[in-house]
Amino acid sequence: MIIHQKPTFPKNFVWGFATAAPQIEGAGREDGKSESVWDRYARQPGTIHNNDNLDVACQHYHLYKEDIALMRSLGAKNYRLSIAWPRILPGGDGAVNQKGVDFYHRLFDTMMENGITPWVTMYHWDMPQVLEDRFGGWRDRRVVDAFANYAQTIVKAYGDRVKNWITLNEISCFTYYAYGTGVKAPGLKLPEGIVNQTYHHALLSHGEAVRAVREYGGPGARVGLTDNALVGVPVTETAEDIAAAHAYFIEANCRTFEPIYRGHYHPDYLQSAGANAPRFEADDFKLISQPTDFLGMNLYSGLFVRAAQNGAKYEILDFPPSYPQADNTWQKIMPQVLYWGPRLAVEICGAPAIYITENGCGYNDAPPVNGEVHDLHRRDLVRNYLGELHRAIRDGVPVEGYFLWSFMDNFEWDEGYARRFGAVYCDYQTFKRTPKLSARWYSKVMAGNCLL
Ligand code: NOJ
C-alpha cells in the first residue's frame, strides 16, 4: 500500500508573508514623510525600468486595512514589514513626525486585531535623503548616531506590540551596490575604501539597533540581522564538495559574519583590502558582535561549487545557458540554497536560530483572467524550495520560520513594477488585489503546517 507522507514542519513553526515599506506603501510625500534616497534615485530618468518610481506603489499606506484583512483570510499569522525612517524622522534625526508614527500604530493595532504577529525590519534601504545630503549617508560615521536615535525611537514607540525586530536588511544592497557599483540608491560608483567604510558603519548601526532592543524592547523582545548570504551548493553531496561549500561560505560572507559572530574582521579580508580596509575604533567590535537571537536569511539563489583540482579551496562552476531561471535575471533556480544556507550559517557562525525572512521569485505574471492568476511556476518553485528547507530541519538545523516574499507584487527596485514577486497580484491602475494560485496553495501549507 502506498502511504502519502506529507512533510510536516515543527510545531510552532512561523509562517508568514514579507514586504518592505518603500516597495508597497506609496504616499511618498504624504503626512510629513520626507524624501528617501530611493525616492530621489528613482526620479533620475533611466535608473529604473520604465522610469517607475515609489510615489504611489501599492497604495498600502491607504489600503493597509484591506491588506491585513486579506492576509488574515489567507491564514497568515506572521507578517514581516519595514518601517520607513523618513516617515518617522523626516529630518533624519531631530523632530519626530507624529503622523508617521501614528500610521504604524494603526497598522500594528490592525494586525493585532487580526491575530497577525509583526516582524519588523528597521531599515529596508530607505535612508532619508537629507542625511545623504548632509554628510554622505552611510559614508560618514555620523550615520551611526542618527540610526541609533531612529532605532530607539521606534523600539520605544512600538515595543509593547512588536517583539521581533530585524535590524538591517541585506547590508550589501545599501553599501556595496549603492556606493560601489551604483545600481542601487544613491547610485554612486566610489572607490573601494569608501565602500568598505559604508559597510563598517552599517555593522555599527546593526549593533546600535541590537542595543536599542535590549534596552527598550521590553519583555520577550528578540532581535537579529537579515542577510543575503552567498551560498555555494555542493555539486555532489560528498565530503570533498561539502568542504568546498564551507570554504566558499566563509570567504564570501566574511565581511558580515566574522565581525558579527567573532568580533573582528577576518585577517584575509583585511589583507586583501590593504589600504582600503575600513577604519575602526577599538570598541567597535563589542557593539557589532553583541549576541543576537536569530539570523534572518533572504535566500533566492546561489552558486554551484566543488572541490578544486588545483589546490584552491573550492571551484565555482559556471551556469550553462540552459540552466533554469526565473524571469528576474539574477535568479537561477536553486532550491538547495534553503538546505545549505541555513546549515552552513549554523555550522560556521553558530547562529542560534534561522528564519528565512525572504524567499520567492520574480516573474512577469499576466493579469488575472476570471479572477485567477495561475502562477504554477511560482507555486512549483516555492514548493521545491520548501522541500529543501524541510530537509534542513529534518537534519537538525534550527530553522524556526519562513516568510514568503512577497505578500503582493510591488516596486522591485531597479526592475520597477514589471517584475512581480507577489503571491497576490496588484493591479497598478485600480489597486485591486487578486490572490494568485500560489497564495491559495501557500495558505493551505500554512494551515496544515506541512508541504502539500
Ligand atoms: C531582497 C530584498 O530585500 C527585497 O527588497 C527584494 O524585493 C527581493 N529581495 C527580491 O529581489
Side-chain angles (χ1 to χ4, degrees), residues 382-430:
V382 174
R383 189 174 192 277
N384 288 334
Y385 275 67
L386 279 175
E388 289 289 324
L389 189 66
H390 185 266
R391 178 160 81 102
I393 295 169
R394 211 188 50 208
D395 283 3
V397 183
V399 182
E400 297 185 357
Y402 175 92
F403 294 83
L404 182 63
W405 183 274
S406 179
F407 171 59
M408 63 185 152
D409 300 331
N410 57 49
F411 179 78
E412 178 53 18
W413 309 112
D414 44 304
E415 301 195 55
Y417 294 99
R419 206 73 80 209
R420 294 173 179 272
F421 272 81
V424 172
Y425 188 93
C426 180
D427 180 321
Y428 294 112
Q429 254 75 53
T430 61

Side-chain angles (χ1 to χ4, degrees), residues 12-23:
N12 300 328
F13 191 76
V14 168
W15 292 104
F17 289 110
T19 67
Q23 295 177 270

Side-chain angles (χ1 to χ4, degrees), residues 218-236:
R222 304 198 308 151
V223 63
L225 174 79
T226 273
D227 188 58
N228 49 337
L230 296 166
V231 177
V233 167
V235 175
T236 310

Side-chain angles (χ1 to χ4, degrees), residues 104-106 108-109 112 117-118 157-164:
Y104 297 102
H105 277 311
R106 293 197 297 278
F108 295 136
D109 288 347
M112 295 294 147
T117 302
Y158 308 120
D160 56 340
R161 281 149 298 159
V162 176
K163 293 297 170 193
N164 305 292

Side-chain angles (χ1 to χ4, degrees), residues 23 37-38 41 123-127 138 168-188 195 198-199 202 226-230 255-256 298 300 330 358 412-414:
Q23 295 177 270
V37 290
W38 268 95
Y41 177 69
Y123 186 71
H124 206 118
W125 312 354
D126 46 353
M127 150 120 8
W138 289 102
L168 306 172
N169 180 69
E170 301 192 353
I171 294 177
S172 61
C173 289
F174 60 90
T175 57
Y176 174 69
Y177 291 109
Y179 295 91
T181 64
V183 295
K184 300 216 182 292
L188 302 172
V195 177
T198 62
Y199 212 94
T226 273
D227 188 58
N228 49 337
L230 296 166
R255 191 153 57 158
T256 308
N298 291 353
Y300 293 86
W330 49 266
E358 282 184 33
E412 178 53 18
W413 309 112
D414 44 304

